[in-house]
Amino acid sequence: ALVFINFIAIAPSASAFDGEEVQRIIGEQLASTPDDDDDDDEGRKTKLKVREKRKLKFDKTASSIDGPGTITLSPTGSVNATGDVVVMGYRFQTAKFVVTGPKNTNVTITLPTSVTVSNGQTTTTLHNFQSVPSGVANLGNNGKLTIKVGATLNIPAGLNRGRYRGPFRIYVDLL
């Protein structure tokens, strides 16, 4: 999955620059399984497939030269800004993955602890990844599970404007 962040830097006079269009880039995802076989000894399906349905996106944000801040995008889609950060856009979106595999099977969901994102010149980090569901989940009677992922974006004081992006991986394993 990729993170799209469209920052707008605010100068001390509080004038803002126009936002730039977000580029679409193919992200990474990974489903890990205990072995490479699709079936167990009794012919039941044992392999998991993880498909990215929607990318994680942070919309227009203004940062201050006066101090740092964060923006948290929860897995349910709520947005919360702290510190010297102003949310200016309304197109934030959680990442969404669909997992398919054996019916009524428990899986574990593992998220990254921190990811670096860059505009090509400057970097910052995403951390505190959260998902719904989280930890252990069940694929249910249809062998499907939808996972929504959010995270917290660190915005240092005076962060350069631009499109910040970077891949992150989630791991889904059979129990």
Side-chain angles (χ1 to χ4, degrees), residues 22-149:
V22 175
Q23 293 179 345
R24 298 194 67 77
I25 299 169
I26 298 173
E28 291 183 303
Q29 60 193 25
L30 178 69
S32 60
T33 56
D35 58 41
D36 293 334
D37 297 334
D38 283 348
D39 300 320
D40 65 9
D41 294 337
E42 297 173 13
R44 292 180 297 231
K45 190 174 187 167
T46 59
K47 190 164 185 169
L48 295 174
K49 291 184 183 176
V50 178
R51 290 180 304 156
E52 180 184 64
K53 298 299 255 179
R54 186 173 59 216
K55 297 181 184 322
L56 182 62
K57 178 182 173 184
F58 288 78
D59 201 7
K60 294 178 185 174
T61 304
S63 65
S64 169
I65 62 168
D66 296 328
T70 64
I71 296 179
T72 300
L73 173 59
S74 78
T76 59
S78 65
V79 177
N80 183 42
T82 63
D84 288 323
V85 173
V86 177
V87 174
M88 299 176 69
Y90 58 89
R91 294 186 199 158
F92 288 77
Q93 66 184 27
T94 60
K96 181 177 176 182
F97 299 89
V98 174
V99 180
T100 55
K103 296 177 182 178
N104 299 311
T105 301
N106 285 335
V107 296
T108 59
I109 301 164
T110 306
L111 303 172
T113 52
S114 181
V115 171
T116 300
V117 292
S118 172
N119 70 354
Q121 298 175 349
T122 307
T123 62
T124 189
T125 59
L126 283 168
H127 69 283
N128 192 30
F129 282 83
Q130 296 180 356
S131 68
V132 170
S134 64
V136 176
N138 189 282
L139 297 183
N141 290 334
N142 62 357
K144 271 189 176 179
L145 175 67
T146 298
I147 303 170
K148 293 182 180 179
V149 178

Side-chain angles (χ1 to χ4, degrees), residues 7-19 61-65 88 161:
F7 287 104
I8 302 171
I10 292 186
S13 65
S15 62
F17 300 102
D18 291 332
T61 304
S63 65
S64 169
I65 62 168
M88 299 176 69
R161 76 178 190 154

